[in-house]
Amino acid sequence: MRIAVLPGDGVGPEVMVEAQKTLDALAAKKGFRVEYRTGLVGAASLDKTGEPVTQDTLDMCRECDAILFGAIGDPRWDNAPAHQRPERGLLRIRKEFGCFANLRPIKVYPALKSMSVLRPEILEKGVDILMFRELTGGVYYREPKGRTTVDGQPAAVDTMLYTEEEIVRIARVAFTAAQQRRKKVTSVDKANVLASSQLWREVVTKVSADFPDVTLEHQLVDSMAMKLITSPSHYDVVLTENMFGDILSDEGGVLTGSLGMLPSGTISLAPPSFFEPVHGSAPDIAGQGKANPLGMILSMSMMLRYAFNMESEAQEVETAVERVLNNGYRTPDIVHARAEGVEVQLVSTQQMGDLVVAELG
Ligand code: IPM
Ligand code: MG
């Protein structure tokens, strides 16, 4: 297993250490070999090279089966020109490797129920959503993009554009996933206003004809933002474009209690595929041992599942995480989650990683 490790900025490096530790423990137990190649990205790369990602890092990633990515973003570069924003590094990597289908599972851990912003009677109905966010198209990437002038006024433009092919390929992945689940896809768009959304709706409807066992519904993004909170149990697979998915997946994060818990995985056109936690670089707590490494560890388990087809190993990691939570261990972000029958214990980033490793046995 050859893995590119890109710890990035803020809390990225410290949560990455815990994911690697967990993977190493699993590899030792199961007898597989892991080889890491570590590279710079984001502000870490800007500081050393002047670029948010270098050709060297991209070449290194290309030689690997999968990329494990920590976090990106640093307030020191907040006012830098677009090409020197740390985030550019991440966007470049996604594009370079055709990382088009970003999977963000949203589920509630029984041990963290009391952290959810949802009322208990809503939570009781269950939350288990698999969100598919298109990741290499739309307003994040299309041209024209940037500063301009209109009527002598400073102005700026971004372009929301989708081709049929871009919509078809992610829709097929989402429908295929739904066949293994509760057989329902909710496609989210803004078809009452946006032309790109009208095409999105048409194409998704066309694709659905090839999946007669899956029910398709369409939902406008504004009402989706509301319904995700009022009736999350209604949703199974959610399919949406890049920016809507960015926004809705953070919302999904707080439904479950903490953004620190949320993993993501991205399927690409060809290896390497790409795995990163949904949380950001959290510069305010970086380097203090306060970050929750579970989103990163769970992203690593998504890598086992989707990049290496190691379903039972992925489940072992997920079960270990669940046991640690059930035993009452909490990083600061989830310390207010009550534990049943055991005392809550505040732990550091590193201790949390050690506990997961210990549960792996
Ligand atoms: C995410 C992040 C990124 C995005 C940023 C850091 C560029 O918010 O992965 O959700 O907007 O895609
Ligand atoms: Mg985001």
Side-chain angles (χ1 to χ4, degrees):
M1 194 181 274
R2 201 183 283 173
I3 296 170
V5 173
L6 305 178
D9 305 328
V11 299
E14 55 201 290
V15 296
M16 183 64 80
V17 169
E18 304 313 315
Q20 286 181 266
K21 189 158 84 186
T22 308
L23 181 56
D24 288 339
L26 191 70
K29 180 177 166 194
K30 301 281 171 183
F32 61 88
R33 251 175 45 94
V34 188
E35 198 186 306
Y36 299 110
R37 308 265 168 96
T38 305
L40 291 172
V41 69
S45 176
L46 278 161
D47 286 337
K48 285 233 167 73
T49 70
E51 289 179 80
V53 65
T54 60
Q55 192 59 46
D56 278 354
T57 296
L58 294 174
D59 290 345
M60 181 200 87
C61 291
R62 197 178 306 284
E63 286 169 13
C64 294
D65 307 306
I67 302 169
L68 272 183
F69 186 94
I72 209 156
D74 184 321
R76 289 179 303 131
W77 296 88
D78 273 357
N79 298 315
H83 70 281
Q84 283 187 333
R85 295 289 307 247
E87 290 80 4
R88 262 299 169 93
L90 173 59
L91 298 181
R92 174 90 196 275
I93 291 172
R94 287 176 179 168
K95 192 72 177 175
E96 185 82 16
F97 298 111
C99 300
F100 72 99
N102 181 223
L103 280 71
R104 299 192 164 183
I106 297 166
K107 74 173 219 178
V108 174
Y109 287 86
L112 301 184
K113 264 189 185 162
S114 63
M115 283 283 300
S116 172
V117 294
L118 297 176
R119 285 208 307 274
E121 65 268 29
I122 293 177
L123 211 52
E124 236 130 65
K125 294 190 189 142
V127 180
D128 180 9
I129 300 170
L130 186 55
M131 193 175 285
F132 282 82
R133 168 186 173 193
E134 200 291 326
L135 206 59
T136 52
V139 73
Y140 272 57
Y141 288 99
R142 288 295 182 173
E143 305 279 341
K145 184 177 203 64
R147 294 303 176 101
T148 176
T149 49
V150 172
D151 300 333
Q153 289 288 315
V157 59
D158 296 287
T159 302
M160 192 184 259
L161 184 151
Y162 270 101
T163 64
E164 179 171 285
E165 190 194 0
E166 285 173 323
I167 303 167
V168 167
R169 69 186 180 197
I170 186 156
R172 298 198 72 86
V173 180
F175 277 98
T176 305
Q179 285 181 318
Q180 313 295 321
R181 294 174 48 100
R182 303 194 301 279
K183 300 188 169 48
K184 186 154 95 182
V185 170
T186 305
S187 174
V188 179
D189 62 37
K190 186 70 185 168
N192 54 346
V193 178
L194 300 177
S196 58
S197 279
Q198 285 149 16
L199 179 72
W200 182 277
R201 195 174 274 219
E202 256 171 60
V203 174
V204 171
T205 304
K206 228 189 279 170
V207 170
S208 76
D210 293 340
F211 299 84
D213 53 333
V214 178
T215 314
L216 168 66
E217 65 178 11
H218 301 282
Q219 179 101 51
L220 295 172
V221 63
D222 51 351
S223 79
M224 183 67 184
M226 178 180 72
K227 289 224 171 134
L228 209 46
I229 291 171
T230 56
S231 39
S233 65
H234 176 80
Y235 299 101
D236 176 16
V237 169
V238 171
L239 164 64
T240 192
E241 66 88 47
N242 204 344
M243 185 170 62
F244 298 159
D246 179 43
I247 297 167
L248 292 176
S249 61
D250 271 29
E251 190 183 338
V254 291
L255 292 188
T256 69
S258 170
L259 204 52
M261 291 295 305
L262 275 194
S264 95
T266 308
I267 298 170
S268 24
L269 297 169
S273 42
F274 184 89
F275 301 86
E276 60 175 321
V278 173
H279 66 71
S281 57
D284 51 324
I285 59 162
Q288 301 170 35
K290 289 182 179 169
N292 184 346
L294 296 179
M296 185 75 238
I297 290 172
L298 293 167
S299 300
M300 184 277 290
S301 84
M302 287 187 79
M303 175 185 83
L304 295 172
R305 173 174 294 119
Y306 293 104
F308 300 104
N309 215 356
M310 294 167 74
E311 177 61 33
S312 68
E313 287 81 356
Q315 275 176 25
E316 261 184 70
V317 174
E318 286 152 20
T319 306
V321 166
E322 230 160 303
R323 287 214 198 103
V324 170
L325 294 173
N326 291 342
N327 290 337
Y329 297 106
R330 310 278 188 260
T331 41
D333 57 315
I334 51 175
V335 74
H336 297 299
R338 292 187 294 276
E340 252 161 65
V342 288
E343 216 156 297
V344 165
Q345 289 191 58
L346 182 64
V347 297
S348 68
T349 309
Q350 189 193 334
Q351 286 167 326
M352 190 56 118
D354 290 342
L355 286 159
V356 174
V357 168
E359 281 297 340
L360 282 175

